[in-house]
Every structure is written in structure tokens, then in C-alpha cells.
Amino acid sequence: MDFLRPVTWEDALAARAARPGALPVQGGTDVMVEINFDARRPEALLDLTRIRALTEWDTADGLLRVGAGVPYARLIGELGGRLPGLAQASRTVGSPQIRNRGTVGGNLGAASPAGDGHPPLLAGDAVVEAESAERGVRMIPVAEFFTGVKRNALAPDELIRAFWTPPASGPQYFSKIGTRNAMVIAVCSFAVALHPGERRVGTGLGSAAPTPRRATEAEAFISGELDWDGRRPLAEPAVRRFGELVRAAASPIDDVRGTGEYRRHALAVLARRTLTWAWDDHRKATVGKAAS
């Protein structure tokens, strides 16, 4: 197995074009486990950890652009206030050592249905910035990025450079269920994001289908039910219906971590809880603005 270690982004794109069978490595927290257990044996590893540009984030046109090499620990510490849902998900990833090393870019590249970063990105309308040496930059909405179990929309010569997302304009929450409290793959997970300016709710489901996905019918339903001016509390029938529609959006399997039926039930519970938490925050903020 060859080991390729470019120093610049241009060299990385050239290496990717020359060796499309090389497996990109960002944090290596998933890849090295697969190699150690002989579950994967790529012809080469393309190590991206020396490329400084991938470890930076900035803002442009009101959006956050986060490099593919920004680790979870920095997302929590530096962007937690602007991306609270993604920060909450990042806190559930592995151990402190994994959070110091692992990245959302690597999570996207692995495209696991259980990736913790995926539901908040879906709920927040993120876009993946991919690039190839020949065709340049391509922007892929994250809802279109996952194409199958551990498969994504990248062409063989493309690499993930960053993801773009609006800073939170309203409350965001992420919750997951695991077989224990820490350092565990999600049995299922759910993210919700309120977009008050658009009077819209975003969602993201994890470990509940062949790919991470949104619950679009649930989003449309609850967006029309909410009193966005914050005068009325959540109606219990609407909350229950939202949970039912989230449950219906899932198509989980039975495996060693849980049955499909348990996952559906759990997603309905997570959907009701996170929506309630988010709406309570929104009402408090709305009432506070009116009082001042």
C-alpha cells in the first residue's frame, strides 16, 4: 500500500487525479479502524493532514465556510455558538482524542448512515464544496450528497475541500440513542433546526435508512402548524403528528445495535423532544424581544 502525503491542495488534487483508487485520509478515525481489521485494503492512502488550508474556517456572504480538516474539538470551541446543532453532535463523537482528530469532512467522505455530523448538516441546509484538478469546484447540497450505504456523490477525481452552512438563525438541537452513554455508534439520531426568518423547520435523520436523510413531510407539516410569532405554545397533537411523520420517513434495518421497529419508535420520541426544546427556546427569545 502506497502512502501519499501532499503538502498543498493543488498537489492533493493532482494526486487524486493520478491515483483515483487512493483513499483520502483526513483524521483517519474511521479509515484506520477498517484497515486494522482488514475490512478495507486500498491501493494507496492519500493523507491530507498537512494541508493547512483545510484546517481553516471563515465567513463569506453571510455563510460559514468550514474546511474539511477542522476537527470536532474546534467546531465545539470556536463555532458552537453559530452552529449549536453541529456542536451538540460533535460532543457525542467518540472520546476527546477522537474529537481532536476526527473531522466533519472525513465524516462526509465516509458517508456512513450513522455519521453524527450528518443530521445537523441536513437540518441546517449545508452544501459540500468539492473540487477536482480538471473541472474545478462543484457545490453539492448535502441532501444530494449521500447516494447509498457509505457512498457519496464525489467523482473519482474529487476531494472535499469544505462545507458551507448558514449560521443558526434559530434554535438547533441534536439527540441520539446509543447502546451506552459515550463512545458509541448511534442506534439512531435526529436533528432539528428552526429557521424563523423563513418560518421553516429543518430536520435530519441518522442511522435510520441507507443514507442520512431529511423528513420532508414532517418539515412541511410542522412549519405550517407553528405560531412563528411565539404567542402560542406547541399544540400536543401537532407534536405527536410531527413525530409520526419523522417515524414514517425512516427505513431502518435490524442489526446488532437495534431493530428497525425500535429505531422508528425512538426517532418519533427524539423528534418530539428536540422540537419541544427548540420551540421553547424560540418562544423565550421572541417574548424577550417583545418585552425589550
Side-chain angles (χ1 to χ4, degrees):
M1 185 189 308
D2 295 334
F3 187 73
L4 313 175
R5 202 177 192 197
V7 177
T8 68
W9 179 244
E10 292 71 24
D11 289 343
L13 292 178
R16 182 66 164 161
R19 300 286 297 274
L23 181 63
V25 177
Q26 190 55 257
T29 55
D30 287 331
V31 169
M32 296 314 298
V33 172
E34 292 180 336
I35 290 175
N36 287 340
F37 281 92
D38 206 25
R40 191 176 224 179
R41 191 59 56 177
E43 67 179 58
L45 291 177
L46 178 57
D47 178 25
L48 304 175
T49 57
R50 295 180 68 187
I51 301 174
R52 181 180 293 273
L54 297 182
T55 66
E56 299 170 349
W57 64 267
D58 56 15
T59 58
D61 299 323
L63 300 175
L64 286 166
R65 180 184 182 275
V66 183
V70 176
Y72 293 111
R74 286 184 55 208
L75 280 170
I76 296 166
E78 300 172 24
L79 292 170
R82 304 192 212 187
L83 300 174
L86 186 57
Q88 290 169 18
S90 298
R91 291 187 185 98
T92 73
V93 175
S95 63
Q97 294 91 335
I98 295 296
R99 293 192 290 275
N100 282 330
R101 186 75 177 178
T103 66
V104 173
N107 210 209
L108 285 165
S112 167
D116 292 322
H118 303 152
L121 292 177
L122 287 162
D125 302 317
V127 176
V128 178
E129 178 185 336
E131 188 171 355
S132 73
E134 181 179 353
R135 295 181 307 283
V137 173
R138 182 164 66 109
M139 306 299 284
I140 310 170
V142 75
E144 302 171 12
F145 184 76
F146 308 105
T147 60
V149 178
K150 296 190 175 182
R151 298 201 307 273
N152 59 49
L154 292 176
D157 63 342
E158 284 182 317
L159 292 170
I160 299 170
R161 185 163 189 172
F163 69 88
W164 294 70
T165 187
S169 59
Q172 298 181 350
Y173 276 92
F174 169 84
S175 190
K176 85 175 186 182
I177 290 177
T179 52
R180 60 184 185 182
N181 287 335
M183 293 172 50
V184 65
I185 298 173
V187 174
C188 63
S189 61
F190 182 76
V192 67
L194 303 189
H195 305 279
E198 305 168 55
R199 296 181 174 245
R200 181 175 64 83
V201 175
T203 62
L205 284 69
S207 203
T211 65
R213 62 173 58 167
R214 292 168 55 189
T216 53
E217 289 189 24
E219 294 174 4
F221 166 77
I222 201 63
S223 296
E225 290 290 315
L226 297 177
D227 173 17
W228 289 97
D229 295 324
R231 293 184 298 263
R232 290 186 286 109
L234 277 174
E236 184 58 32
V239 177
R240 287 198 302 270
R241 181 58 179 159
F242 178 69
E244 291 168 0
L245 290 170
V246 168
R247 172 190 175 112
S251 55
I253 61 171
D254 299 338
D255 63 15
V256 295
R257 284 176 283 126
T259 66
E261 181 55 31
Y262 175 75
R263 286 182 163 101
R264 291 187 185 93
H265 168 75
L267 280 167
V269 174
L270 295 180
R272 295 195 301 266
R273 287 178 181 172
T274 54
L275 176 65
T276 301
W277 297 336
W279 188 250
D280 286 347
D281 287 353
H282 173 67
R283 287 196 74 214
K284 289 175 186 174
T286 304
V287 170
K289 280 183 183 178
S292 60

Short mmCIF file of all heavy atoms in Angstrom, two decimals, residues 256-291:
data_model
loop_
_atom_site.label_atom_id
_atom_site.label_comp_id
_atom_site.label_asym_id
_atom_site.label_seq_id
_atom_site.Cartn_x
_atom_site.Cartn_y
_atom_site.Cartn_z
N VAL A 256 -27.24 -5.50 15.02
CA VAL A 256 -26.82 -5.84 16.38
C VAL A 256 -27.09 -4.71 17.37
O VAL A 256 -27.13 -4.93 18.57
CB VAL A 256 -25.32 -6.22 16.42
CG1 VAL A 256 -25.08 -7.48 15.63
CG2 VAL A 256 -24.45 -5.07 15.89
N ARG A 257 -27.28 -3.48 16.86
CA ARG A 257 -27.50 -2.35 17.76
C ARG A 257 -28.97 -2.09 18.05
O ARG A 257 -29.30 -1.39 19.00
CB ARG A 257 -26.83 -1.09 17.19
CG ARG A 257 -25.33 -1.10 17.36
CD ARG A 257 -24.68 0.11 16.71
NE ARG A 257 -24.58 -0.04 15.27
CZ ARG A 257 -25.04 0.83 14.39
NH1 ARG A 257 -25.63 1.92 14.79
NH2 ARG A 257 -24.91 0.62 13.10
N GLY A 258 -29.87 -2.61 17.23
CA GLY A 258 -31.28 -2.37 17.47
C GLY A 258 -32.12 -2.84 16.30
O GLY A 258 -31.63 -3.00 15.18
N THR A 259 -33.40 -3.03 16.56
CA THR A 259 -34.32 -3.43 15.49
C THR A 259 -34.82 -2.20 14.75
O THR A 259 -34.79 -1.07 15.26
CB THR A 259 -35.52 -4.19 16.07
OG1 THR A 259 -36.29 -3.29 16.89
CG2 THR A 259 -35.07 -5.39 16.90
N GLY A 260 -35.33 -2.45 13.55
CA GLY A 260 -35.90 -1.35 12.80
C GLY A 260 -37.09 -0.73 13.51
O GLY A 260 -37.26 0.50 13.52
N GLU A 261 -37.91 -1.55 14.13
CA GLU A 261 -39.08 -1.02 14.83
C GLU A 261 -38.68 -0.16 16.02
O GLU A 261 -39.28 0.89 16.28
CB GLU A 261 -39.97 -2.17 15.30
CG GLU A 261 -41.24 -1.72 16.02
CD GLU A 261 -42.09 -0.75 15.20
OE1 GLU A 261 -42.08 -0.85 13.94
OE2 GLU A 261 -42.74 0.11 15.81
N TYR A 262 -37.65 -0.58 16.74
CA TYR A 262 -37.17 0.24 17.86
C TYR A 262 -36.66 1.58 17.34
O TYR A 262 -36.91 2.64 17.94
CB TYR A 262 -36.07 -0.47 18.63
CG TYR A 262 -35.47 0.40 19.71
CD1 TYR A 262 -36.17 0.64 20.89
CD2 TYR A 262 -34.24 1.02 19.53
CE1 TYR A 262 -35.64 1.47 21.87
CE2 TYR A 262 -33.71 1.85 20.52
CZ TYR A 262 -34.41 2.07 21.68
OH TYR A 262 -33.89 2.90 22.64
N ARG A 263 -35.93 1.56 16.25
CA ARG A 263 -35.41 2.80 15.69
C ARG A 263 -36.55 3.74 15.30
O ARG A 263 -36.48 4.96 15.54
CB ARG A 263 -34.51 2.51 14.49
CG ARG A 263 -33.15 1.92 14.85
CD ARG A 263 -32.32 1.72 13.58
NE ARG A 263 -30.92 1.56 13.90
CZ ARG A 263 -30.28 0.38 13.95
NH1 ARG A 263 -30.95 -0.75 13.71
NH2 ARG A 263 -28.99 0.33 14.24
N ARG A 264 -37.58 3.23 14.68
CA ARG A 264 -38.72 4.08 14.31
C ARG A 264 -39.36 4.71 15.54
O ARG A 264 -39.67 5.91 15.56
CB ARG A 264 -39.75 3.27 13.53
CG ARG A 264 -39.31 2.82 12.14
CD ARG A 264 -40.46 2.17 11.40
NE ARG A 264 -40.02 1.64 10.13
CZ ARG A 264 -39.61 0.38 9.93
NH1 ARG A 264 -39.59 -0.47 10.97
NH2 ARG A 264 -39.21 -0.02 8.76
N HIS A 265 -39.57 3.88 16.55
CA HIS A 265 -40.16 4.40 17.79
C HIS A 265 -39.26 5.47 18.40
O HIS A 265 -39.74 6.54 18.81
CB HIS A 265 -40.36 3.25 18.78
CG HIS A 265 -40.68 3.72 20.17
ND1 HIS A 265 -41.92 4.21 20.53
CD2 HIS A 265 -39.91 3.79 21.29
CE1 HIS A 265 -41.90 4.56 21.80
NE2 HIS A 265 -40.70 4.32 22.29
N ALA A 266 -37.97 5.18 18.48
CA ALA A 266 -37.04 6.12 19.10
C ALA A 266 -36.98 7.43 18.34
O ALA A 266 -36.89 8.52 18.93
CB ALA A 266 -35.65 5.49 19.21
N LEU A 267 -37.02 7.38 17.01
CA LEU A 267 -36.97 8.61 16.22
C LEU A 267 -38.18 9.49 16.49
O LEU A 267 -38.07 10.72 16.57
CB LEU A 267 -36.90 8.27 14.73
CG LEU A 267 -35.53 7.88 14.20
CD1 LEU A 267 -35.65 7.27 12.82
CD2 LEU A 267 -34.59 9.08 14.18
N ALA A 268 -39.36 8.88 16.65
CA ALA A 268 -40.55 9.66 16.96
C ALA A 268 -40.38 10.37 18.30
O ALA A 268 -40.77 11.54 18.45
CB ALA A 268 -41.79 8.76 16.98
N VAL A 269 -39.80 9.68 19.28
CA VAL A 269 -39.57 10.27 20.59
C VAL A 269 -38.55 11.41 20.49
O VAL A 269 -38.76 12.51 21.03
CB VAL A 269 -39.10 9.21 21.60
CG1 VAL A 269 -38.72 9.86 22.93
CG2 VAL A 269 -40.18 8.16 21.81
N LEU A 270 -37.43 11.16 19.80
CA LEU A 270 -36.41 12.19 19.65
C LEU A 270 -36.95 13.41 18.93
O LEU A 270 -36.62 14.55 19.27
CB LEU A 270 -35.20 11.63 18.90
CG LEU A 270 -34.40 10.52 19.57
CD1 LEU A 270 -33.24 10.10 18.68
CD2 LEU A 270 -33.89 10.96 20.94
N ALA A 271 -37.79 13.18 17.91
CA ALA A 271 -38.36 14.29 17.15
C ALA A 271 -39.24 15.15 18.05
O ALA A 271 -39.16 16.39 18.02
CB ALA A 271 -39.16 13.76 15.97
N ARG A 272 -40.08 14.52 18.85
CA ARG A 272 -40.95 15.29 19.74
C ARG A 272 -40.14 16.08 20.77
O ARG A 272 -40.42 17.25 21.04
CB ARG A 272 -41.94 14.35 20.46
CG ARG A 272 -42.93 13.66 19.53
CD ARG A 272 -44.09 13.07 20.31
NE ARG A 272 -43.67 12.09 21.31
CZ ARG A 272 -43.62 10.77 21.10
NH1 ARG A 272 -43.94 10.28 19.90
NH2 ARG A 272 -43.26 9.94 22.07
N ARG A 273 -39.13 15.43 21.34
CA ARG A 273 -38.33 16.10 22.37
C ARG A 273 -37.55 17.28 21.81
O ARG A 273 -37.57 18.38 22.37
CB ARG A 273 -37.36 15.09 22.99
CG ARG A 273 -38.01 14.08 23.90
CD ARG A 273 -36.98 13.11 24.44
NE ARG A 273 -37.58 12.11 25.30
CZ ARG A 273 -36.92 11.05 25.79
NH1 ARG A 273 -35.64 10.86 25.46
NH2 ARG A 273 -37.54 10.19 26.58
N THR A 274 -36.83 17.05 20.71
CA THR A 274 -35.98 18.13 20.19
C THR A 274 -36.82 19.29 19.67
O THR A 274 -36.44 20.45 19.83
CB THR A 274 -35.05 17.61 19.08
OG1 THR A 274 -35.83 16.95 18.07
CG2 THR A 274 -34.02 16.64 19.63
N LEU A 275 -37.96 19.00 19.06
CA LEU A 275 -38.83 20.08 18.60
C LEU A 275 -39.33 20.90 19.79
O LEU A 275 -39.35 22.14 19.74
CB LEU A 275 -40.02 19.52 17.82
CG LEU A 275 -41.06 20.56 17.38
CD1 LEU A 275 -40.46 21.53 16.37
CD2 LEU A 275 -42.30 19.88 16.81
N THR A 276 -39.71 20.23 20.86
CA THR A 276 -40.20 20.93 22.05
C THR A 276 -39.11 21.81 22.65
O THR A 276 -39.35 22.98 23.01
CB THR A 276 -40.69 19.92 23.10
OG1 THR A 276 -41.76 19.14 22.54
CG2 THR A 276 -41.20 20.63 24.35
N TRP A 277 -37.90 21.28 22.77
CA TRP A 277 -36.78 22.07 23.29
C TRP A 277 -36.53 23.30 22.43
O TRP A 277 -36.36 24.42 22.93
CB TRP A 277 -35.51 21.24 23.37
CG TRP A 277 -35.58 20.07 24.29
CD1 TRP A 277 -36.39 19.90 25.36
CD2 TRP A 277 -34.79 18.87 24.18
NE1 TRP A 277 -36.15 18.67 25.95
CE2 TRP A 277 -35.19 18.02 25.25
CE3 TRP A 277 -33.79 18.43 23.32
CZ2 TRP A 277 -34.61 16.76 25.47
CZ3 TRP A 277 -33.22 17.18 23.52
CH2 TRP A 277 -33.63 16.36 24.59
N ALA A 278 -36.50 23.08 21.10
CA ALA A 278 -36.21 24.19 20.18
C ALA A 278 -37.32 25.23 20.24
O ALA A 278 -37.04 26.44 20.24
CB ALA A 278 -36.04 23.65 18.76
N TRP A 279 -38.57 24.79 20.28
CA TRP A 279 -39.67 25.75 20.29
C TRP A 279 -39.71 26.54 21.60
O TRP A 279 -40.00 27.73 21.60
CB TRP A 279 -40.99 25.05 20.04
CG TRP A 279 -42.11 26.03 19.85
CD1 TRP A 279 -43.16 26.30 20.67
CD2 TRP A 279 -42.25 26.92 18.73
NE1 TRP A 279 -43.95 27.29 20.16
CE2 TRP A 279 -43.42 27.69 18.96
CE3 TRP A 279 -41.51 27.14 17.56
CZ2 TRP A 279 -43.85 28.65 18.06
CZ3 TRP A 279 -41.95 28.10 16.68
CH2 TRP A 279 -43.10 28.85 16.92
N ASP A 280 -39.42 25.89 22.70
CA ASP A 280 -39.35 26.61 23.97
C ASP A 280 -38.29 27.72 23.91
O ASP A 280 -38.51 28.84 24.39
CB ASP A 280 -39.02 25.64 25.12
CG ASP A 280 -40.21 24.77 25.50
OD1 ASP A 280 -41.34 25.07 25.06
OD2 ASP A 280 -40.00 23.79 26.24
N ASP A 281 -37.13 27.40 23.33
CA ASP A 281 -36.08 28.41 23.18
C ASP A 281 -36.55 29.56 22.29
O ASP A 281 -36.29 30.74 22.57
CB ASP A 281 -34.82 27.80 22.59
CG ASP A 281 -34.07 26.91 23.57
OD1 ASP A 281 -34.45 26.87 24.76
OD2 ASP A 281 -33.11 26.24 23.15
N HIS A 282 -37.23 29.21 21.20
CA HIS A 282 -37.70 30.24 20.27
C HIS A 282 -38.72 31.16 20.94
O HIS A 282 -38.65 32.39 20.79
CB HIS A 282 -38.33 29.58 19.05
CG HIS A 282 -38.98 30.55 18.10
ND1 HIS A 282 -38.26 31.48 17.37
CD2 HIS A 282 -40.30 30.77 17.80
CE1 HIS A 282 -39.09 32.20 16.64
NE2 HIS A 282 -40.33 31.79 16.89
N ARG A 283 -39.64 30.59 21.68
CA ARG A 283 -40.67 31.41 22.35
C ARG A 283 -40.04 32.34 23.39
O ARG A 283 -40.42 33.50 23.51
CB ARG A 283 -41.72 30.52 23.02
CG ARG A 283 -42.67 29.85 22.05
CD ARG A 283 -43.88 29.32 22.78
NE ARG A 283 -44.78 30.40 23.17
CZ ARG A 283 -45.51 30.39 24.27
NH1 ARG A 283 -45.41 29.37 25.13
NH2 ARG A 283 -46.33 31.39 24.55
N LYS A 284 -39.07 31.82 24.15
CA LYS A 284 -38.40 32.65 25.14
C LYS A 284 -37.70 33.83 24.47
O LYS A 284 -37.76 34.98 24.94
CB LYS A 284 -37.40 31.83 25.93
CG LYS A 284 -38.02 30.83 26.90
CD LYS A 284 -36.96 29.97 27.55
CE LYS A 284 -37.60 28.88 28.40
NZ LYS A 284 -36.58 27.94 28.94
N ALA A 285 -37.02 33.54 23.35
CA ALA A 285 -36.32 34.61 22.63
C ALA A 285 -37.31 35.62 22.05
O ALA A 285 -37.07 36.83 22.08
CB ALA A 285 -35.45 34.02 21.53
N THR A 286 -38.44 35.14 21.54
CA THR A 286 -39.44 36.02 20.95
C THR A 286 -40.09 36.90 22.01
O THR A 286 -40.27 38.10 21.82
CB THR A 286 -40.51 35.19 20.22
OG1 THR A 286 -39.87 34.35 19.24
CG2 THR A 286 -41.51 36.09 19.52
N VAL A 287 -40.44 36.29 23.14
CA VAL A 287 -41.05 37.05 24.23
C VAL A 287 -40.06 38.08 24.77
O VAL A 287 -40.41 39.21 25.08
CB VAL A 287 -41.54 36.10 25.35
CG1 VAL A 287 -41.95 36.90 26.59
CG2 VAL A 287 -42.70 35.26 24.85
N GLY A 288 -38.78 37.67 24.88
CA GLY A 288 -37.76 38.60 25.36
C GLY A 288 -37.61 39.81 24.46
O GLY A 288 -37.46 40.95 24.93
N LYS A 289 -37.65 39.60 23.16
CA LYS A 289 -37.55 40.71 22.21
C LYS A 289 -38.74 41.65 22.35
O LYS A 289 -38.61 42.88 22.33
CB LYS A 289 -37.50 40.18 20.77
CG LYS A 289 -36.14 39.69 20.34
CD LYS A 289 -36.19 39.27 18.89
CE LYS A 289 -34.86 38.70 18.43
NZ LYS A 289 -34.93 38.24 17.03
N ALA A 290 -39.94 41.06 22.50
CA ALA A 290 -41.15 41.88 22.61
C ALA A 290 -41.13 42.72 23.89
O ALA A 290 -41.55 43.87 23.90
CB ALA A 290 -42.38 40.98 22.58
N ALA A 291 -40.60 42.13 24.96
CA ALA A 291 -40.56 42.83 26.25
C ALA A 291 -39.57 44.00 26.24
O ALA A 291 -39.77 45.01 26.92
CB ALA A 291 -40.20 41.85 27.36
#
